[in-house]
Amino acid sequence: MALIGVADRLPKPGETLRGERFYTASGGKGATQAVAAARLGAHVRMVGRVGDDLFGPLLLNALTVEGIDVTGVAVDQDHPSGVGMILLDKNRENHITAIYGANLQCDDDQVRSVQSALEGADVLLLQMEIPFDVSLSAARVAAAGGARVILDPAPATEIALNKYADLDIITPNQMEAEFHTGIRVSDVSSAKAAAKVLLERGVAAAVVKMAGQGVYYATESTGGYIEPFEVSVVDTVSAGDAFSGALGVALAEGKSFEDAVRYGAAAGALAVTRRGVQGSMPLRCEVESLLSQG
């Protein structure tokens, strides 16, 4: 569950600031990406855990009303639902502290649920909000069944060099790309260099998201830059999740990798034009309309 505050700036140590606004919203990277994909027309199944607490039913209901299958989401009796405490500054950049609770208890039960959920699936979306070993097991199950694996490596967490080959696509933002490659991403040239490092580690494709600077993508045979869409920014909380959900949908529908990245970038741009987390995920008609303007 996202607990979101809006203030002019971050407080200094020991300082109390008067904020502008507070609201709550159903969130979680995996769940928000699931909503993004569902709103774009995909049939989506969610696997994970929530706590047996106030937030658990709210989180599950938010997915159900979007048409998402939540039979693979377990209720953990001993650990709370995950929460994200988010502060938006005057530029509407987000500063997030996440406490993952039940998410970190995901285990082989969830891997078995993934195996069942992947029947007939084209894409598996993964994040770093559950134990990475569980995600890797799920990735191997997906690969065995012919599904493409996309990892959004957030929050930034160490990945052993010999594990990258279990991933098809990795989609770091600038900070995550620097964390994993040591290259400070500030422009297209540095994004290209970071993507090259990730490819050398064994992924089939790397996408470096640069917020308002656009997106750089690379595969073994090609690479390119997608310029940012011109939109009015309200908040940037879930732009990356909109991107991931849209990228997965576009690839499942057979779009070229370049077109899929552009589709994801359009979805991410629309997400920043409205307040909220899952509620900011755009509809298919909105993404197609923005793309048609370009």
Side-chain angles (χ1 to χ4, degrees):
M1 181 63 72
L3 312 176
I4 305 167
V6 182
D8 186 63
R9 59 176 174 81
L10 292 177
K12 299 174 182 177
E15 180 185 22
T16 299
L17 284 179
R18 185 186 296 273
E20 298 175 20
R21 185 172 65 252
F22 171 79
Y23 57 99
T24 63
S26 294
K29 295 195 68 64
T32 305
Q33 290 173 21
V35 171
R39 289 190 176 183
L40 296 173
H43 176 61
V44 182
R45 305 180 184 105
M46 180 75 189
V47 175
R49 289 195 186 198
V50 296
D52 184 20
D53 54 21
L54 174 66
F55 293 143
L58 296 175
L59 293 168
L60 292 177
N61 182 66
L63 296 176
T64 300
V65 298
E66 298 285 349
I68 297 167
D69 183 340
V70 296
T71 55
V73 180
V75 177
D76 192 309
Q77 303 294 324
D78 301 316
H79 300 87
S81 298
V83 296
M85 294 173 286
I86 303 170
L87 180 64
L88 297 171
D89 64 21
K90 65 180 179 181
N91 297 316
R92 297 310 182 248
E93 292 293 337
N94 60 76
H95 308 266
I96 304 173
T97 298
I99 301 170
Y100 293 112
N103 294 283
L104 294 181
Q105 306 308 312
C106 287
D107 57 19
D108 289 344
D109 287 341
Q110 277 62 60
V111 177
R112 286 187 285 271
S113 292
V114 167
Q115 188 165 18
S116 175
L118 279 169
E119 293 180 10
D122 298 296
V123 172
L124 173 65
L125 295 175
L126 297 172
Q127 312 77 32
M128 304 292 267
E129 294 183 331
I130 69 171
F132 190 55
D133 287 346
V134 175
S135 290
L136 280 179
S137 295
R140 290 164 183 156
V141 169
R148 194 173 299 193
V149 178
I150 303 174
L151 174 68
D152 180 353
T157 307
E158 291 289 348
I159 300 175
L161 294 181
N162 64 347
K163 304 301 183 184
Y164 284 87
D166 288 309
L167 310 169
D168 293 306
I169 303 166
I170 190 167
T171 63
N173 64 18
Q174 290 164 282
M175 294 182 65
E176 294 147 8
E178 180 178 358
F179 177 87
H180 288 291
T181 69
I183 296 171
R184 184 175 181 273
V185 175
S186 58
D187 53 22
V188 176
S189 178
S190 52
K192 181 178 181 179
K196 182 175 184 291
V197 170
L198 295 169
L199 290 177
E200 290 171 347
R201 292 180 183 173
V203 299
V207 180
V208 181
K209 299 169 292 188
M210 298 184 288
Q213 293 178 271
V215 181
Y216 182 83
Y217 68 91
T219 68
E220 296 174 350
S221 59
T222 188
Y225 170 65
I226 306 296
E227 293 186 357
F229 291 87
E230 293 187 9
V231 296
S232 298
V233 178
V234 175
D235 78 50
T236 60
V237 169
S238 295
D241 295 329
F243 178 92
S244 292
L247 176 68
V249 170
L251 291 173
E253 293 179 350
K255 288 182 171 60
S256 70
F257 196 71
E258 179 181 358
D259 286 345
V261 173
R262 183 175 287 106
Y263 195 80
L270 287 166
V272 308
T273 65
R274 60 199 70 171
R275 193 180 76 176
V277 184
Q278 293 175 11
S280 69
M281 298 299 99
L283 300 173
R284 187 183 189 97
C285 60
E286 295 173 315
V287 175
E288 293 176 349
S289 176
L290 182 60
L291 287 168
S292 69
Q293 297 171 26

